Amino acid sequence: MGQRPIYVMAEQDLPGLLIMGIGGTHGVQESLAALLKKHFSVITMKELLENKKEVGKKIQCIFVSEFRPTIDQELLESLPNLKVIGNSGVGVDHLNLKMISNFGVRVTNTPHAVADSTADMGMALMLASARRLVEGSQIAVSPDTNYFAADWLGVEVTRATLGIIGMGRIGYKVAQRARAFEMKILYHNRNRRSQEEEQAVGACYSEMEDLLQQSDFVMLVVNLTPQTEKLIGKKELGLMKPTATLINISRGAVIDQDALVEALQNKTIKAAALDVTYPEPLPRNHPLLKLNNVIITPHIGTATVQATHMMAEEAIANMLSVLNCQPIPSEVFPQ
Ligand SMILES: O=C(O)C(=O)CO
């Protein structure tokens, strides 16, 4: 087959792309915008709102940034030529997939680009909690210099038991990392991994109950769906060891937060390390913020230079596939 000619399109001929985050471009760094501009005629929310009728017609794609903005019926009605929403990130719980598909619009996500950075975050939270990094850092910079390491004993992650709930791409990457720490790895997932995949990381499939009872660290890596909402509640927390730590890198709503506060206050479990909460950010008077056995980070699982770029690249590839009627690498369907 001969090589296809490459057409360089003039900017005005590029497909219109609306970039959505807070305030349109906010959160989409300059270099990212430059990357998107290579393939699309980039339109901000401000520009759309200034001239909905004319600008709305040009938009064929929406790039949804990590700020997870709301895409409602009114917006979709104003974009008659919209074909695809390219979500930058794997979780699409902020999108009403059924409503969007009723408009004949495809949704794509970026499961490959997020996997390493999110798995790293899970490990970082586990280590930080086990070794009391946040408390240690606060002590080290406090006016009190009269402290002893023996007062700040942590626990070792090495050779501890890790229970991974959700063994998709990210969960599996966590297992690969945990193997290097010689951890005993249990996992629970809708679908069991193949024997080869289990053996490659030394992970054993486990029922939820057993996993919760045996693990020193329980890490949540599931998607938020109606089936996983409040997956971890009072009963599940009650099954965990009093010495165990709960780590969440999925979505806040996967945990019944009131039950978690109670479990942490009553020392039903030892600690929690959360990159995600419900809502985000938590109200400043939320009881979780007052507990010293909790580490909370502001949903930064994919907040790395590399992941941000890879996510944009994966989203671009997805959106261009839709526009060019080619197989779509990562399409999300309504359940
Ligand atoms: O990819 C996502 O959806 C994330 O939230 C990563 O933290």
Side-chain angles (χ1 to χ4, degrees):
M1 235 177 28
Q3 282 242 308
R4 281 199 195 172
I6 299 170
Y7 298 104
V8 179
M9 287 170 128
E11 211 198 311
Q12 63 270 29
D13 296 329
L14 293 174
L17 171 87
L18 175 68
I19 42 177
M20 279 188 80
I22 295 169
T25 53
H26 181 80
V28 181
Q29 296 93 323
E30 280 311 303
S31 59
L32 252 187
L35 189 62
L36 291 165
K37 279 179 185 161
K38 279 193 198 159
H39 304 277
F40 303 97
S41 163
V42 170
I43 295 160
T44 63
M45 200 61 193
K46 187 167 169 280
E47 285 161 343
L48 173 67
L49 292 176
E50 276 165 7
N51 185 357
K52 244 187 179 170
K53 207 149 187 237
E54 280 316 302
V55 176
K57 274 192 265 179
K58 292 187 196 159
I59 294 170
Q60 296 185 53
C61 316
I62 301 180
F63 175 80
V64 176
S65 85
E66 70 274 26
F67 287 93
R68 295 171 270 276
T70 308
I71 294 184
D72 57 18
Q73 174 125 0
E74 191 191 335
L75 175 69
L76 293 177
E77 278 166 357
S78 69
L79 308 176
N81 297 314
L82 182 67
K83 297 195 173 49
V84 53
I85 296 173
N87 187 63
S88 176
V90 69
V92 288
D93 47 285
H94 54 292
L95 298 174
N96 183 339
L97 297 176
K98 184 96 191 46
M99 190 254 302
I100 294 167
S101 87
N102 287 343
F103 279 84
V105 172
R106 316 291 266 276
V107 174
T108 66
N109 67 351
T110 62
H112 303 91
V114 303
D116 282 313
S117 60
T118 311
D120 285 355
M121 191 67 201
M123 297 303 287
L125 285 173
M126 179 162 63
L127 286 161
S129 181
R131 302 302 301 271
R132 304 174 68 171
L133 280 200
V134 175
E135 289 168 274
S137 164
Q138 282 163 355
I139 277 286
V141 299
S142 77
D144 178 10
T145 52
N146 192 21
Y147 53 82
F148 303 95
D151 295 332
W152 295 96
L153 293 185
V155 290
E156 293 194 15
V157 162
T158 303
R159 286 182 290 278
T161 300
L162 169 65
I164 302 174
I165 300 181
M167 195 59 139
R169 209 169 260 106
I170 301 172
Y172 198 75
K173 294 262 183 187
V174 169
Q176 286 174 330
R177 286 152 173 74
R179 188 174 172 76
F181 285 83
E182 299 171 50
M183 297 188 87
K184 176 174 176 196
I185 304 167
L186 305 177
Y187 79 96
H188 184 78
N189 198 42
R190 258 179 320 181
N191 305 312
R192 192 168 170 173
R193 288 270 183 172
S194 71
Q195 223 179 356
E196 294 74 50
E197 287 169 326
E198 287 183 354
Q199 274 168 5
V201 290
C204 298
Y205 181 82
S206 168
E207 291 305 328
M208 267 280 268
E209 210 169 296
D210 295 334
L211 180 151
L212 291 167
Q213 283 170 339
Q214 290 175 35
S215 301
D216 300 306
F217 299 91
V218 173
M219 197 177 299
L220 302 175
V221 203
V222 288
N223 288 331
L224 175 60
T225 64
Q227 291 74 40
T228 61
E229 194 173 343
K230 296 201 177 161
L231 182 71
I232 302 297
K234 194 178 166 76
K235 175 173 154 257
E236 291 71 26
L237 291 160
L239 290 171
M240 289 173 66
K241 296 184 197 179
T243 50
T245 297
L246 181 65
I247 299 143
N248 192 2
I249 51 170
S250 67
R251 286 293 181 268
V254 165
I255 300 178
D256 175 344
Q257 247 167 215
D258 293 339
L260 178 63
V261 169
E262 210 181 295
L264 289 164
Q265 281 169 343
N266 299 340
K267 307 269 164 43
T268 309
I269 65 168
K270 183 177 151 208
L274 314 168
D275 186 41
V276 284
T277 57
Y278 185 81
E280 284 171 7
L282 285 173
R284 296 297 93 176
N285 61 353
H286 195 282
L288 269 180
L289 303 183
K290 298 189 173 64
L291 295 168
N292 62 8
N293 49 350
V294 180
I295 294 177
I296 301 188
T297 49
H299 200 150
I300 50 172
T302 55
T304 66
V305 174
Q306 292 87 343
T308 308
H309 278 265
M310 287 190 295
M311 280 153 71
E313 276 166 4
E314 197 171 348
I316 289 170
N318 282 324
M319 291 188 288
L320 292 177
S321 304
V322 174
L323 295 185
N324 296 326
C325 301
Q326 282 167 351
I328 307 161
S330 303
E331 181 167 9
V332 185
F333 298 97
Q335 290 216 326

PDB file of all heavy atoms in Angstrom, residues 74 141 163 181 202:
ATOM      1  N   GLU A  74     -28.212  21.456  28.550  1.00  0.00           N
ATOM      2  CA  GLU A  74     -28.236  22.774  27.902  1.00  0.00           C
ATOM      3  C   GLU A  74     -26.990  22.971  27.036  1.00  0.00           C
ATOM      4  O   GLU A  74     -27.060  23.440  25.899  1.00  0.00           O
ATOM      5  CB  GLU A  74     -28.318  23.850  28.983  1.00  0.00           C
ATOM      6  CG  GLU A  74     -28.616  25.227  28.425  1.00  0.00           C
ATOM      7  CD  GLU A  74     -28.439  26.307  29.473  1.00  0.00           C
ATOM      8  OE1 GLU A  74     -28.553  26.006  30.677  1.00  0.00           O
ATOM      9  OE2 GLU A  74     -28.164  27.452  29.067  1.00  0.00           O
ATOM     10  N   VAL A 141       9.769  20.268  61.539  1.00  0.00           N
ATOM     11  CA  VAL A 141       9.828  21.720  61.309  1.00  0.00           C
ATOM     12  C   VAL A 141       9.208  22.512  62.470  1.00  0.00           C
ATOM     13  O   VAL A 141       9.129  23.736  62.420  1.00  0.00           O
ATOM     14  CB  VAL A 141       9.131  22.106  59.970  1.00  0.00           C
ATOM     15  CG1 VAL A 141       9.815  21.441  58.791  1.00  0.00           C
ATOM     16  CG2 VAL A 141       7.635  21.775  59.982  1.00  0.00           C
ATOM     17  N   GLY A 163      -4.272  -5.754  50.381  1.00  0.00           N
ATOM     18  CA  GLY A 163      -5.495  -6.182  49.697  1.00  0.00           C
ATOM     19  C   GLY A 163      -5.889  -5.121  48.686  1.00  0.00           C
ATOM     20  O   GLY A 163      -6.142  -3.975  49.062  1.00  0.00           O
ATOM     21  N   PHE A 181       8.176  -4.879  47.129  1.00  0.00           N
ATOM     22  CA  PHE A 181       8.249  -4.740  48.589  1.00  0.00           C
ATOM     23  C   PHE A 181       7.995  -6.085  49.287  1.00  0.00           C
ATOM     24  O   PHE A 181       7.720  -6.115  50.474  1.00  0.00           O
ATOM     25  CB  PHE A 181       7.212  -3.704  49.069  1.00  0.00           C
ATOM     26  CG  PHE A 181       7.613  -2.283  48.792  1.00  0.00           C
ATOM     27  CD1 PHE A 181       7.398  -1.703  47.551  1.00  0.00           C
ATOM     28  CD2 PHE A 181       8.209  -1.516  49.777  1.00  0.00           C
ATOM     29  CE1 PHE A 181       7.766  -0.400  47.296  1.00  0.00           C
ATOM     30  CE2 PHE A 181       8.585  -0.204  49.534  1.00  0.00           C
ATOM     31  CZ  PHE A 181       8.368   0.359  48.282  1.00  0.00           C
ATOM     32  N   GLY A 202       2.425 -12.233  41.685  1.00  0.00           N
ATOM     33  CA  GLY A 202       2.263 -12.975  42.948  1.00  0.00           C
ATOM     34  C   GLY A 202       1.005 -12.577  43.691  1.00  0.00           C
ATOM     35  O   GLY A 202       1.013 -12.455  44.921  1.00  0.00           O
TER      36      GLY A 202
END
